[in-house]
Amino acid sequence: MYFAALLARTEDGWEASDTELDDVETLSDLADLAREASPDEDTVFVLIEQEDAWFGLVRVDGEEDPRIFVSDAAAAARSAYGELLLTDELLGREPGADDGPDLDALDLDGTEDGESEEEPDVEEETTAAGAVPHGPVGDGGILDDLGVGEKELRALDPNDALAEIAEVLGASEVLETVR
């Protein structure tokens, strides 16, 4: 079971709205959706959780690049919504690193039988390069200025994380209305 909501800071406090992510295909689309929720370029959070597995936060401040935190990258990688957040940059990979074997790493020495003394195992190298880490990834300081430090953020249980974050922000009532 998934839950996704937008939480926008306004002059009058926080406003929450639930959101459908079915038409969102990229992180850029998600950031644009967040920006639409705040015409004054205030802070907007996209809150996503998969019950018992992981949660993710995307923070958009005006036209700045979105900041992302995912509580468990390996769990999120098995989710369509999680895949939106797990960019190559966030995972510390070269863009396009998971697009197949690195042709520069292949042994193309021109021998007729294709054998060499020690052939690299390209499949093994590709798998290792495309591995998604277990545990949190991203900007652990995403909520520092709002009262939730990196240590507290990383320690949150995925079942209660969004509610606890909303409580600290003073937005628990508005978030509960869209749940």
Side-chain angles (χ1 to χ4, degrees):
M1 183 76 174
Y2 289 97
F3 171 71
L6 295 173
L7 190 60
R9 186 175 8 192
T10 67
E11 291 177 4
D12 301 325
W14 293 97
E15 290 182 10
S17 58
D18 84 8
T19 188
E20 275 297 320
L21 299 179
D22 293 340
D23 294 333
V24 176
E25 295 180 8
T26 65
L27 179 59
S28 180
D29 293 343
L30 190 61
D32 290 343
L33 181 69
R35 287 183 184 102
E36 289 171 11
S38 178
D40 296 330
E41 296 189 5
D42 289 321
T43 299
V44 179
F45 287 99
V46 180
L47 310 171
I48 303 172
E49 75 179 8
Q50 180 182 4
E51 198 171 307
D52 297 328
W54 64 277
F55 70 93
L57 305 172
V58 178
R59 179 176 179 162
V60 178
D61 294 302
E63 290 300 317
E64 292 181 28
D65 287 341
R67 297 168 58 192
I68 306 164
F69 177 82
V70 177
S71 68
D72 186 338
R78 295 185 295 271
S79 156
Y81 296 146
E83 287 179 353
L84 285 172
L85 307 181
L86 297 175
T87 62
D88 287 335
E89 182 181 337
L90 188 72
L91 296 173
R93 298 188 297 212
E94 289 294 319
D98 59 350
D99 291 344
D102 179 7
L103 295 180
D104 293 334
L106 292 175
D107 185 12
L108 302 174
D109 64 357
T111 58
E112 288 182 14
D113 58 8
E115 293 179 16
S116 68
E117 290 179 24
E118 286 191 37
E119 234 176 87
D121 186 350
V122 176
E123 183 177 348
E124 187 177 296
E125 289 176 11
T126 302
T127 304
V132 176
H134 288 276
V137 295
D139 185 350
I142 195 168
L143 297 170
D144 278 350
D145 62 325
L146 299 170
V148 180
E150 181 172 357
K151 186 176 180 181
E152 293 90 359
L153 183 61
R154 290 179 179 270
L156 291 174
D157 180 321
N159 291 322
D160 305 321
L162 299 186
E164 290 183 36
I165 291 168
E167 181 73 32
V168 172
L169 298 178
S172 56
E173 286 182 26
V174 294
L175 186 61
E176 278 305 310
T177 62
V178 298
R179 250 195 211 272

PDB file of all heavy atoms in Angstrom, residues 109-129:
ATOM      1  N   ASP A 109      40.691  -8.276 -28.277  1.00  0.00           N
ATOM      2  CA  ASP A 109      42.062  -8.355 -28.758  1.00  0.00           C
ATOM      3  C   ASP A 109      42.198  -8.942 -30.149  1.00  0.00           C
ATOM      4  O   ASP A 109      43.301  -9.099 -30.665  1.00  0.00           O
ATOM      5  CB  ASP A 109      42.932  -9.127 -27.771  1.00  0.00           C
ATOM      6  CG  ASP A 109      42.508 -10.581 -27.626  1.00  0.00           C
ATOM      7  OD1 ASP A 109      41.508 -10.972 -28.257  1.00  0.00           O
ATOM      8  OD2 ASP A 109      43.171 -11.308 -26.877  1.00  0.00           O
ATOM      9  N   GLY A 110      41.102  -9.320 -30.798  1.00  0.00           N
ATOM     10  CA  GLY A 110      41.141  -9.785 -32.169  1.00  0.00           C
ATOM     11  C   GLY A 110      41.476 -11.257 -32.336  1.00  0.00           C
ATOM     12  O   GLY A 110      41.694 -11.704 -33.449  1.00  0.00           O
ATOM     13  N   THR A 111      41.542 -12.029 -31.277  1.00  0.00           N
ATOM     14  CA  THR A 111      41.802 -13.458 -31.433  1.00  0.00           C
ATOM     15  C   THR A 111      40.593 -14.127 -32.045  1.00  0.00           C
ATOM     16  O   THR A 111      39.461 -13.733 -31.822  1.00  0.00           O
ATOM     17  CB  THR A 111      42.133 -14.124 -30.073  1.00  0.00           C
ATOM     18  OG1 THR A 111      41.043 -13.899 -29.202  1.00  0.00           O
ATOM     19  CG2 THR A 111      43.403 -13.560 -29.476  1.00  0.00           C
ATOM     20  N   GLU A 112      40.860 -15.178 -32.846  1.00  0.00           N
ATOM     21  CA  GLU A 112      39.787 -15.834 -33.580  1.00  0.00           C
ATOM     22  C   GLU A 112      38.782 -16.525 -32.680  1.00  0.00           C
ATOM     23  O   GLU A 112      37.588 -16.472 -32.923  1.00  0.00           O
ATOM     24  CB  GLU A 112      40.368 -16.858 -34.553  1.00  0.00           C
ATOM     25  CG  GLU A 112      41.056 -16.210 -35.719  1.00  0.00           C
ATOM     26  CD  GLU A 112      41.569 -17.250 -36.688  1.00  0.00           C
ATOM     27  OE1 GLU A 112      41.171 -18.418 -36.588  1.00  0.00           O
ATOM     28  OE2 GLU A 112      42.360 -16.883 -37.544  1.00  0.00           O
ATOM     29  N   ASP A 113      39.254 -17.155 -31.628  1.00  0.00           N
ATOM     30  CA  ASP A 113      38.336 -17.903 -30.774  1.00  0.00           C
ATOM     31  C   ASP A 113      37.750 -17.052 -29.660  1.00  0.00           C
ATOM     32  O   ASP A 113      36.929 -17.504 -28.893  1.00  0.00           O
ATOM     33  CB  ASP A 113      38.995 -19.161 -30.210  1.00  0.00           C
ATOM     34  CG  ASP A 113      40.245 -18.841 -29.405  1.00  0.00           C
ATOM     35  OD1 ASP A 113      40.500 -17.639 -29.168  1.00  0.00           O
ATOM     36  OD2 ASP A 113      40.962 -19.787 -29.029  1.00  0.00           O
ATOM     37  N   GLY A 114      38.176 -15.810 -29.554  1.00  0.00           N
ATOM     38  CA  GLY A 114      37.622 -14.907 -28.551  1.00  0.00           C
ATOM     39  C   GLY A 114      38.129 -15.171 -27.147  1.00  0.00           C
ATOM     40  O   GLY A 114      37.701 -14.551 -26.193  1.00  0.00           O
ATOM     41  N   GLU A 115      39.076 -16.089 -26.995  1.00  0.00           N
ATOM     42  CA  GLU A 115      39.583 -16.394 -25.658  1.00  0.00           C
ATOM     43  C   GLU A 115      40.834 -15.590 -25.396  1.00  0.00           C
ATOM     44  O   GLU A 115      41.630 -15.330 -26.288  1.00  0.00           O
ATOM     45  CB  GLU A 115      39.884 -17.897 -25.544  1.00  0.00           C
ATOM     46  CG  GLU A 115      38.649 -18.760 -25.609  1.00  0.00           C
ATOM     47  CD  GLU A 115      38.995 -20.236 -25.512  1.00  0.00           C
ATOM     48  OE1 GLU A 115      40.114 -20.571 -25.098  1.00  0.00           O
ATOM     49  OE2 GLU A 115      38.131 -21.057 -25.850  1.00  0.00           O
ATOM     50  N   SER A 116      41.034 -15.247 -24.175  1.00  0.00           N
ATOM     51  CA  SER A 116      42.270 -14.604 -23.763  1.00  0.00           C
ATOM     52  C   SER A 116      42.708 -15.289 -22.482  1.00  0.00           C
ATOM     53  O   SER A 116      42.008 -16.127 -21.935  1.00  0.00           O
ATOM     54  CB  SER A 116      42.069 -13.105 -23.546  1.00  0.00           C
ATOM     55  OG  SER A 116      41.246 -12.877 -22.437  1.00  0.00           O
ATOM     56  N   GLU A 117      43.884 -14.911 -22.003  1.00  0.00           N
ATOM     57  CA  GLU A 117      44.388 -15.577 -20.800  1.00  0.00           C
ATOM     58  C   GLU A 117      43.449 -15.377 -19.615  1.00  0.00           C
ATOM     59  O   GLU A 117      43.154 -16.303 -18.884  1.00  0.00           O
ATOM     60  CB  GLU A 117      45.788 -15.069 -20.479  1.00  0.00           C
ATOM     61  CG  GLU A 117      46.801 -15.540 -21.495  1.00  0.00           C
ATOM     62  CD  GLU A 117      48.177 -15.014 -21.192  1.00  0.00           C
ATOM     63  OE1 GLU A 117      48.456 -14.691 -20.021  1.00  0.00           O
ATOM     64  OE2 GLU A 117      48.985 -14.920 -22.130  1.00  0.00           O
ATOM     65  N   GLU A 118      43.023 -14.174 -19.401  1.00  0.00           N
ATOM     66  CA  GLU A 118      42.082 -13.899 -18.307  1.00  0.00           C
ATOM     67  C   GLU A 118      40.999 -12.969 -18.810  1.00  0.00           C
ATOM     68  O   GLU A 118      41.205 -11.768 -18.919  1.00  0.00           O
ATOM     69  CB  GLU A 118      42.799 -13.244 -17.114  1.00  0.00           C
ATOM     70  CG  GLU A 118      43.644 -14.205 -16.330  1.00  0.00           C
ATOM     71  CD  GLU A 118      44.110 -13.585 -15.031  1.00  0.00           C
ATOM     72  OE1 GLU A 118      43.327 -12.835 -14.414  1.00  0.00           O
ATOM     73  OE2 GLU A 118      45.248 -13.849 -14.634  1.00  0.00           O
ATOM     74  N   GLU A 119      39.839 -13.518 -19.115  1.00  0.00           N
ATOM     75  CA  GLU A 119      38.721 -12.734 -19.599  1.00  0.00           C
ATOM     76  C   GLU A 119      37.964 -12.124 -18.425  1.00  0.00           C
ATOM     77  O   GLU A 119      37.614 -12.830 -17.487  1.00  0.00           O
ATOM     78  CB  GLU A 119      37.767 -13.642 -20.390  1.00  0.00           C
ATOM     79  CG  GLU A 119      37.490 -13.120 -21.769  1.00  0.00           C
ATOM     80  CD  GLU A 119      36.639 -14.071 -22.554  1.00  0.00           C
ATOM     81  OE1 GLU A 119      35.401 -13.962 -22.421  1.00  0.00           O
ATOM     82  OE2 GLU A 119      37.203 -14.906 -23.275  1.00  0.00           O
ATOM     83  N   PRO A 120      37.699 -10.825 -18.441  1.00  0.00           N
ATOM     84  CA  PRO A 120      36.901 -10.258 -17.359  1.00  0.00           C
ATOM     85  C   PRO A 120      35.452 -10.743 -17.450  1.00  0.00           C
ATOM     86  O   PRO A 120      34.939 -10.970 -18.531  1.00  0.00           O
ATOM     87  CB  PRO A 120      36.984  -8.743 -17.585  1.00  0.00           C
ATOM     88  CG  PRO A 120      37.281  -8.608 -19.046  1.00  0.00           C
ATOM     89  CD  PRO A 120      38.076  -9.835 -19.430  1.00  0.00           C
ATOM     90  N   ASP A 121      34.837 -10.895 -16.316  1.00  0.00           N
ATOM     91  CA  ASP A 121      33.429 -11.302 -16.263  1.00  0.00           C
ATOM     92  C   ASP A 121      32.595 -10.032 -16.304  1.00  0.00           C
ATOM     93  O   ASP A 121      32.330  -9.402 -15.290  1.00  0.00           O
ATOM     94  CB  ASP A 121      33.149 -12.111 -14.996  1.00  0.00           C
ATOM     95  CG  ASP A 121      31.735 -12.673 -14.971  1.00  0.00           C
ATOM     96  OD1 ASP A 121      30.920 -12.273 -15.832  1.00  0.00           O
ATOM     97  OD2 ASP A 121      31.445 -13.499 -14.092  1.00  0.00           O
ATOM     98  N   VAL A 122      32.215  -9.613 -17.522  1.00  0.00           N
ATOM     99  CA  VAL A 122      31.511  -8.345 -17.721  1.00  0.00           C
ATOM    100  C   VAL A 122      30.173  -8.352 -17.003  1.00  0.00           C
ATOM    101  O   VAL A 122      29.774  -7.357 -16.404  1.00  0.00           O
ATOM    102  CB  VAL A 122      31.327  -8.057 -19.231  1.00  0.00           C
ATOM    103  CG1 VAL A 122      30.510  -6.805 -19.432  1.00  0.00           C
ATOM    104  CG2 VAL A 122      32.683  -7.940 -19.895  1.00  0.00           C
ATOM    105  N   GLU A 123      29.452  -9.467 -16.990  1.00  0.00           N
ATOM    106  CA  GLU A 123      28.155  -9.533 -16.324  1.00  0.00           C
ATOM    107  C   GLU A 123      28.308  -9.271 -14.826  1.00  0.00           C
ATOM    108  O   GLU A 123      27.542  -8.525 -14.237  1.00  0.00           O
ATOM    109  CB  GLU A 123      27.507 -10.897 -16.549  1.00  0.00           C
ATOM    110  CG  GLU A 123      26.127 -10.993 -15.945  1.00  0.00           C
ATOM    111  CD  GLU A 123      25.459 -12.330 -16.226  1.00  0.00           C
ATOM    112  OE1 GLU A 123      25.955 -13.092 -17.069  1.00  0.00           O
ATOM    113  OE2 GLU A 123      24.437 -12.590 -15.586  1.00  0.00           O
ATOM    114  N   GLU A 124      29.344  -9.851 -14.233  1.00  0.00           N
ATOM    115  CA  GLU A 124      29.583  -9.646 -12.802  1.00  0.00           C
ATOM    116  C   GLU A 124      29.902  -8.188 -12.513  1.00  0.00           C
ATOM    117  O   GLU A 124      29.412  -7.602 -11.556  1.00  0.00           O
ATOM    118  CB  GLU A 124      30.736 -10.550 -12.347  1.00  0.00           C
ATOM    119  CG  GLU A 124      30.952 -10.552 -10.849  1.00  0.00           C
ATOM    120  CD  GLU A 124      32.046 -11.529 -10.472  1.00  0.00           C
ATOM    121  OE1 GLU A 124      31.871 -12.744 -10.693  1.00  0.00           O
ATOM    122  OE2 GLU A 124      33.080 -11.057  -9.951  1.00  0.00           O
ATOM    123  N   GLU A 125      30.738  -7.566 -13.367  1.00  0.00           N
ATOM    124  CA  GLU A 125      31.085  -6.160 -13.170  1.00  0.00           C
ATOM    125  C   GLU A 125      29.859  -5.269 -13.309  1.00  0.00           C
ATOM    126  O   GLU A 125      29.683  -4.330 -12.547  1.00  0.00           O
ATOM    127  CB  GLU A 125      32.143  -5.734 -14.189  1.00  0.00           C
ATOM    128  CG  GLU A 125      33.503  -6.340 -13.937  1.00  0.00           C
ATOM    129  CD  GLU A 125      34.493  -5.974 -15.029  1.00  0.00           C
ATOM    130  OE1 GLU A 125      34.176  -5.090 -15.861  1.00  0.00           O
ATOM    131  OE2 GLU A 125      35.576  -6.569 -15.052  1.00  0.00           O
ATOM    132  N   THR A 126      29.009  -5.559 -14.278  1.00  0.00           N
ATOM    133  CA  THR A 126      27.807  -4.764 -14.502  1.00  0.00           C
ATOM    134  C   THR A 126      26.863  -4.885 -13.310  1.00  0.00           C
ATOM    135  O   THR A 126      26.306  -3.899 -12.840  1.00  0.00           O
ATOM    136  CB  THR A 126      27.095  -5.201 -15.793  1.00  0.00           C
ATOM    137  OG1 THR A 126      28.019  -5.064 -16.863  1.00  0.00           O
ATOM    138  CG2 THR A 126      25.875  -4.360 -16.057  1.00  0.00           C
ATOM    139  N   THR A 127      26.689  -6.102 -12.801  1.00  0.00           N
ATOM    140  CA  THR A 127      25.813  -6.307 -11.649  1.00  0.00           C
ATOM    141  C   THR A 127      26.319  -5.529 -10.444  1.00  0.00           C
ATOM    142  O   THR A 127      25.561  -4.873  -9.753  1.00  0.00           O
ATOM    143  CB  THR A 127      25.704  -7.807 -11.317  1.00  0.00           C
ATOM    144  OG1 THR A 127      25.251  -8.474 -12.475  1.00  0.00           O
ATOM    145  CG2 THR A 127      24.759  -8.045 -10.175  1.00  0.00           C
ATOM    146  N   ALA A 128      27.631  -5.590 -10.205  1.00  0.00           N
ATOM    147  CA  ALA A 128      28.192  -4.884  -9.055  1.00  0.00           C
ATOM    148  C   ALA A 128      28.030  -3.374  -9.219  1.00  0.00           C
ATOM    149  O   ALA A 128      27.718  -2.670  -8.276  1.00  0.00           O
ATOM    150  CB  ALA A 128      29.660  -5.245  -8.876  1.00  0.00           C
ATOM    151  N   ALA A 129      28.219  -2.876 -10.447  1.00  0.00           N
ATOM    152  CA  ALA A 129      28.096  -1.441 -10.686  1.00  0.00           C
ATOM    153  C   ALA A 129      26.657  -0.970 -10.530  1.00  0.00           C
ATOM    154  O   ALA A 129      26.399   0.160 -10.173  1.00  0.00           O
ATOM    155  CB  ALA A 129      28.596  -1.094 -12.078  1.00  0.00           C
TER     156      ALA A 129
END
